[in-house]
Amino acid sequence: MSVGSMPLNSLDLPKAPAQCRVVVAMSGGVDSSVVAALLREQGYDVIGVTMQLYDQGAAEHRPGSCCAGQDIYDARQAAALLGIPHYVLDYETRFRDKVIDAFAQSYAEGETPIPCVTCNQELKFTDLFDVARDLGADVLATGHYIASRAEGGERALFRAKDADRDQSYFLFATTRDQLRMLRFPLGEMTKPEVREHARRFGLNVADKPDSQDICFVSSGRYSDIVEKLAPKAAQPGEIVHVDGRVLGRHAGVMHYTIGQRRGLGLGSAAANSGEPLYVVRIDASRAQVTVGPRSALATRRVVLRDVNWIGAGDLLGAARSGREIAVRVRSTRPPVPACLETRGDDVLVEFVDDESGVAPGQACVFYESAEPRARVLGGGFIRAAEPAAAAPPRAASA
């Protein structure tokens, strides 16, 4: 492909690689290190940038951390080996205000938050963009497993080649403007291929373990952070059955999430119920946790907030027409058939088949279809879930 007489380079830009400045977000892991190495090998003008997001001492040498301590050291080592400039930027205050505080508050409201999405949305694809522009970069490249390419005159996101590593669920909030500058070189690669490249380049992170989901929880107990920042989440309350019976008490809604089965703290009350019990509802305002049989987890529709649309056309047009799409309501689940709807000013998603264990605070990510390499259409955060038993009947198909 080319623009006029100038062929496009591997980053879809009409320049020779040597004339393109690329800022690579380097977390200290194998993925971003390989991105920097591959682009350097291809002749691009590469600059590595690492965001220091939380206290280094708390995470020093802790397996599974990122953006602190050992990981910053690893990013520096990789940049030195590749012979590229590398900058470490202190964003601890911003990260605490935008991500950690929001994480705690979400639990206090009875939700199940996704801090990785918030981090991408509030820091990596905002503040880091500003840094990249200040450095004169043409593009910002990251080590995420998601594909990006030109589609209908704009750039679009697609699920990664490596389905087991696909990170599209965490990147649904990426905007059209951001997509114009973002590049994801690992979208067409598998994890084993990435590690093999790391060995070829002699990177000391070739066999480094992947970072964990909640990188800033140094103790492994997220409840310690939540209780400190949002004490309301640790307020004791009742555990009730969906039939109204009080089964026991809990030590704070922060210890529960929709769909949870283990660790309910019910002892003999659970054993005497005659069937497994699951968390089906959390009412933070009353400090009440409701449990019930698996059937009580069935969800017909979800109401969304903060919806981002990056598909063709516009969101309201798609929703008003009842567009058929595929969605994911958990990062570990495959996309399932659904339909976009509107109810007044609200955007809703109705599932073709009832979904189980849908939790407010999680994301509902839109795809063109359930196919492995489908286009990402955007998504939103789940504000409320409507139980299948309480939802009105579905309209008959035409």
Side-chain angles (χ1 to χ4, degrees), residues 138-153:
D138 294 283
V139 299
L140 171 65
T142 80
H144 289 102
Y145 284 83
I146 191 170
S148 159
R149 57 179 179 267
E151 183 87 0

Side-chain angles (χ1 to χ4, degrees), residues 181-202:
M181 191 175 181
L182 277 169
R183 297 295 186 273
F184 305 102
L186 304 188
E188 304 297 334
M189 300 175 64
T190 65
K191 188 73 175 195
E193 290 172 340
V194 170
R195 291 199 183 278
E196 187 55 40
H197 278 301
R199 297 184 188 99
R200 178 171 68 84
F201 287 117

Side-chain angles (χ1 to χ4, degrees), residues 133-212:
R133 291 189 180 100
D134 289 345
L135 290 172
D138 294 283
V139 299
L140 171 65
T142 80
H144 289 102
Y145 284 83
I146 191 170
S148 159
R149 57 179 179 267
E151 183 87 0
E154 60 184 16
R155 293 199 70 80
L157 287 181
F158 299 83
R159 294 182 66 194
K161 174 182 177 180
D162 190 336
D164 292 334
R165 298 287 173 174
D166 175 54
Q167 292 176 294
S168 58
Y169 183 84
F170 302 101
L171 296 169
F172 77 88
T174 308
T175 67
R176 295 180 194 272
D177 183 55
Q178 291 166 350
L179 282 176
R180 295 186 188 99
M181 191 175 181
L182 277 169
R183 297 295 186 273
F184 305 102
L186 304 188
E188 304 297 334
M189 300 175 64
T190 65
K191 188 73 175 195
E193 290 172 340
V194 170
R195 291 199 183 278
E196 187 55 40
H197 278 301
R199 297 184 188 99
R200 178 171 68 84
F201 287 117
L203 296 170
N204 63 0
V205 293
D207 297 306
K208 185 176 180 177
D210 292 328
S211 60
Q212 66 181 35

Side-chain angles (χ1 to χ4, degrees), residues 65-121:
S65 65
C66 78
C67 305
Q70 180 67 35
D71 303 279
I72 292 176
Y73 174 80
D74 288 340
R76 283 177 173 150
Q77 289 291 95
L81 176 67
L82 299 173
I84 63 173
H86 178 249
Y87 302 97
V88 178
L89 307 177
D90 184 354
Y91 280 91
E92 285 192 31
T93 300
R94 289 271 295 161
F95 186 72
R96 182 175 62 250
D97 294 344
K98 294 291 185 178
V99 179
I100 300 179
D101 287 352
F103 172 82
Q105 184 59 35
S106 184
Y107 266 110
E109 294 173 0
E111 297 184 338
T112 304
I114 321 173
C116 291
V117 173
T118 308
C119 184
N120 289 331
Q121 190 176 28

